[in-house]
Amino acid sequence: MEYKDYYKTLKVDKDASPEDIKKAYRKLVRQYHPDVSKHKDATEKTKEINEAYDVLGDAEKRAAYDDLGRRGRQTGDGFRPPPDWASQYDFSDAGAGTDDFLADLFAHMGRRGRAGGGAGGGFGGAGFQMRGEDIHAAITIDLRDAYTGATRNISLRVPVQDAQGQVTMQEKTLSVSIPKGVTPGQQLRLAGQGQPGVGGGPAGDLYLEIQFREDPRYRVEGANVYETVPVAPWEAALGAKIPVPTPSGTVEVSVPAGSQTGRKLRLKARGIPAATPGDLYLILEVVLPPANTARAKELYEQMAREMSFNPRADMGA
């Protein structure tokens, strides 16, 4: 019996999972199907791919195939089954007896096609249809867009199928609605905007992953937003009410007396307005005024004389 390496046909390892086998099959059948492929042996390649998947895509047939392969390697008899082999497997869907199944399994499965309810169903010849693959891309937005929602135009190079079934890459511009409350890493699904289907099958979907444009003032973690807020030394030391621009508008914030750089003020539910709104954290940063005038230098000198302050006291210096 002639050996056919179905794992090699589908370009998978012998320990490949059922999902990996299915994924490899879908990729190859799309690549070589006569409706879309320019390969000179596309029809024959499609038959080989279908034949391999009909075995490896069915758990019972795959077990039988692997068992025969192991026996052949051990005995040197190739794919000739031993007398008791048939009793170990129940191929209730084989149609005829076990001998007919063996001949069909290892030699003529391509002639049977897949219309008889095999692992994939309907992939062998005329009338073949397959849903198009999904496309994944990224879209970069401003943080403010996540607070208010927005509409953005994006351009993508996508595969387009013409009336003759030929697939070419074309640039496509889409208008995308950014809903209020999106967070980094979230995906927006645009139905039917993925790769075209085969044989009249439906197109796949386009998934856009949300990314935020970098902003030196803000850091985003999930729905929480962190904003650095500069404060003057007297505001931090004495306390003050200061206006702070935020992504949702300017708010008045109370700076507690004795604040230091790094102090965190929490504004509840002022983060991204997701299903569960995030919080806005204001990180205080004390900024010293420059000593760039005679009066400024005089004030610093006065502070040095009159204030017994040693910033390195905790270091023992």
Side-chain angles (χ1 to χ4, degrees), residues 177-252:
S177 294
I178 310 298
K180 176 180 176 180
V182 293
T183 54
Q186 182 176 336
Q187 292 194 341
L188 304 181
R189 173 176 171 263
L190 279 65
Q193 298 296 337
Q195 294 190 12
V198 175
D205 299 331
L206 170 62
Y207 289 88
L208 295 176
E209 181 177 324
I210 295 295
Q211 297 180 355
F212 285 2
R213 188 169 286 107
E214 289 189 8
D215 190 311
R217 289 187 302 168
Y218 301 111
R219 176 169 56 88
V220 180
E221 292 183 4
N224 294 328
V225 178
Y226 296 80
E227 179 178 2
T228 300
V229 180
V231 293
W234 47 89
E235 293 172 333
L238 305 177
K241 288 186 178 296
I242 62 171
V244 178
T246 75
S248 60
T250 299
V251 297
E252 188 175 77

Side-chain angles (χ1 to χ4, degrees), residues 61 64 85 91 94 96-106 112:
K61 292 180 183 178
W85 181 84
F91 298 110
T98 304
D99 290 342
D100 289 340
F101 167 75
L102 282 172
D104 200 58
L105 177 61
F106 300 115
R112 258 175 61 189

